[in-house]
Amino acid sequence: MESPALISSIFFFTFLLRTSLATTFTIKNNCPYTVWPGTLNGSGSAQLSSTGFQLSPGESFSLSTSAPWSGRFWGRTGCSTDASGRFSCATGDCASGAVACNGAGGNPPVSLAEFTLVTGGGQDNYDLSLVDGFNLPVSIVPQGGSNGCQTTTCAANVNSVCPAELAVKDQSGNVIACKSACEAFGSPQYCCTESYSTPQTCPPTNYSEIFKGQCPQAYSYAYDDANGSLYTCVSPSGYVITFCP
Ligand SMILES: *[C@@H]1O[C@H](CO)[C@@H](O)[C@H](O)[C@H]1NC(C)=O
Ligand SMILES: *[C@@H]1O[C@H](CO)[C@@H](O)[C@H](O)[C@H]1NC(C)=O
Ligand SMILES: *[C@@H]1O[C@H](CO)[C@@H](O)[C@H](O)[C@H]1NC(C)=O
């Protein structure tokens, strides 16, 4: 028979593992319309238990993962299933043909919530990115944790100030997403490529400043690290990701 000390050690370490490794993502739809969130694991990280699901207004859904983990979340809008049974979305579509994205990312323009979770009391990193454009307002609120753990939010509707040359419109002419200048024009100056491939040679542009002006806490272009867009938190129990915060 095992000694009580060994048994309690096993329970203690199981407890430690659970509390230090499990991170719960709660995705909430605060928009007045349905949103179909998508999830994508990063390189070497396990796929989450769901890669896509539907949230009616006010609904939320939780997923857990174990650190180390990296990946991203986004929202899809204007989704429907056609006569042949193929599911697609007007924005953020992952082109899987189904509600589950199954390893495919969201097509730009799409607002992203990005995470790198670490173990052993290290710092998780999280951020909101408009580098691939904007489709939905979104926020990240860490739950508990220490050493930072600030909320990052992009609550503004960038679509409402999107310049015509970046705008994606629906059939009625409403702006439903706003492209990055890189996606719209493909030029090195906007994409931070070729002679613009360093933070020093790729300063903000009149286009990235539109995104930054609306959502100062989100990345507005590839080298937008200067201004506290990357957030850190040590050992939170999880994160709440809200669309239309
Ligand atoms: C995501 O997870 C799946 C399943 O675990 C895996 O096949 C895939 O390689 C992962 N993606 C990346 C980029 O590592
Ligand atoms: C941004 O600058 C470019 C040229 O530098 C100009 O053609 C374009 O109209 C400007 N766009 C906005 C939205 O200011
Ligand atoms: C940081 O953001 C603030 C508020 O959006 C802005 O006024 C300031 O110019 C930014 N600084 C840099 C270095 O981008």
Side-chain angles (χ1 to χ4, degrees):
M1 182 164 168
E2 313 288 359
S3 77
L6 178 60
I7 291 170
S8 64
S9 304
I10 290 168
F11 275 105
F12 180 66
F13 283 109
T14 307
F15 169 79
L16 266 189
L17 276 174
R18 289 185 63 85
T19 54
S20 62
L21 299 185
T23 304
T24 301
F25 291 107
T26 300
I27 298 98
K28 183 162 200 289
N29 178 17
N30 204 37
C31 303
Y33 43 83
T34 301
V35 172
W36 288 261
T39 77
L40 178 66
N41 52 300
S43 180
S45 290
Q47 202 161 63
L48 296 178
S49 56
S50 175
T51 57
F53 46 93
Q54 176 177 330
L55 292 180
S56 297
E59 267 191 327
S60 58
F61 182 71
S62 294
L63 297 153
S64 284
T65 190
S66 295
W69 186 86
S70 69
R72 54 174 57 173
F73 299 79
W74 69 96
R76 294 169 286 174
T77 61
C79 304
S80 59
T81 303
D82 72 14
S84 70
R86 191 176 169 80
F87 178 84
S88 67
C89 302
T91 76
D93 192 31
C94 58
S96 64
V99 176
C101 286
N102 296 322
N107 287 331
V110 63
S111 319
L112 298 174
E114 305 179 308
F115 294 86
T116 302
L117 310 181
V118 300
T119 53
Q123 291 191 330
D124 289 358
N125 287 329
Y126 54 98
D127 66 80
L128 298 176
S129 173
L130 306 182
V131 174
D132 288 337
F134 172 95
N135 71 329
L136 275 178
V138 58
S139 68
I140 301 172
V141 182
Q143 305 297 295
S146 59
N147 290 36
C149 308
Q150 290 175 350
T151 293
T152 174
T153 186
C154 172
N157 181 9
V158 179
N159 295 332
S160 65
V161 299
C162 186
E165 59 273 36
L166 304 184
V168 176
K169 295 179 177 169
D170 67 11
Q171 281 162 353
S172 334
N174 301 310
V175 179
I176 54 172
C178 191
K179 291 179 193 172
S180 67
C182 172
E183 189 196 356
F185 308 118
S187 48
Q189 174 194 2
Y190 296 127
C191 297
C192 299
T193 53
E194 299 176 22
S195 61
Y196 297 87
S197 65
T198 67
Q200 291 72 34
T201 56
C202 201
T205 65
N206 56 351
Y207 289 108
S208 72
E209 278 166 356
I210 294 172
F211 292 89
K212 200 70 186 174
Q214 293 296 306
C215 288
Q217 297 176 335
Y219 280 97
S220 63
Y221 78 105
Y223 286 126
D224 185 14
D225 316 61
N227 215 358
S229 306
L230 185 62
Y231 290 76
T232 60
C233 185
V234 173
S235 302
S237 61
Y239 296 89
V240 176
I241 301 160
T242 303
F243 295 107
C244 305

